[in-house]
Amino acid sequence: MVEKQKKIEANKKLYFTRSLHDYDVKNEGRREGLRLGRRGGRKSGRKEGIEAKAIESARKLLTMKVLTHEQISEAVGLPLEKIEELALEINTAK
């Protein structure tokens, strides 16, 4: 009977140890996923912010009517098609 009880206790310890290991592995995976998600979110947020600022600058330059569309495109780093689209928006809004 004592031998059987020792086996049960040994199995409990083994199960507990494996459970803790599995828990640690799962949590480490979650933490890594969160880190990658945050990093990707920051990167895409910066990209969106830079593009929004370029669009804002292009709109201001278009309303000033001093530069050509090509010059504005080069100055703010947006494609010429986007500048022409913004110019059309500004002209139709008036």
Side-chain angles (χ1 to χ4, degrees), residues 38-87:
R38 285 188 196 115
R39 191 177 307 140
R42 284 189 207 114
K43 189 174 184 178
S44 67
R46 284 188 198 112
K47 184 179 178 183
E48 289 173 10
I50 290 168
E51 185 176 353
K53 185 63 179 172
I55 290 171
E56 180 184 337
S57 297
R59 285 179 195 265
K60 287 180 182 179
L61 291 169
L62 285 166
T63 57
M64 293 170 66
K65 297 182 181 182
V66 177
L67 302 172
T68 66
H69 292 180
E70 291 82 10
Q71 290 170 325
I72 294 171
S73 173
E74 192 173 322
V76 298
L78 290 174
L80 182 59
E81 295 81 25
K82 183 67 177 177
I83 301 300
E84 291 171 350
E85 181 183 311
L86 292 171

Side-chain angles (χ1 to χ4, degrees), residues 5 13 17 21-22 30 34 39-40 51 56-57 59 76 87 91:
Q5 189 65 26
K13 286 180 184 178
T17 303
H21 174 72
D22 291 348
R30 286 185 187 118
L34 287 172
R39 191 177 307 140
E51 185 176 353
E56 180 184 337
S57 297
R59 285 179 195 265
V76 298
N91 291 333

